[in-house]
Amino acid sequence: MLLLSVIAAFMIIMAACGSNSDSAANGGVEETGAAATSEVVIKASNWKFDQPEYRVKKGEPTKITLQSEEGSHGIASSDIDFKISGNDSKVLTFNNAGEFEIHCNVLCGTGHSQMIAKIIVE
Ligand SMILES: [Cu+2]
């Protein structure tokens, strides 16, 4: 009986871990092909993004547009599955609330490492 409950507890823990790792793998970011209900424009220049933080609504398909206004830049994140290069846009749904760092992922010159901002999912 004790053994059974230990096995049951173990399976519950495994199931919980399994569902967590699914959303952790991409940080809860999905590209579903759904029509966007809002848009966030991120403007990049040498060597900054136009805002320190960008806000998106959790669970809403959001069109994220990157405009490289000066120089060639990109955005990536080490927290979530998020990557846009040059002048491009993607419709993404952010399923996890939180603050996620984004940075330039194109070696663009002396200020490259200062090109850091945040996406706030709320
Ligand atoms: Cu850069």
Side-chain angles (χ1 to χ4, degrees), residues 47 72-74 103-109 111-113 115:
W47 282 275
S72 181
H73 305 282
H103 57 263
C104 180
N105 69 339
V106 176
L107 274 176
C108 55
H112 172 65
S113 61
M115 294 189 66

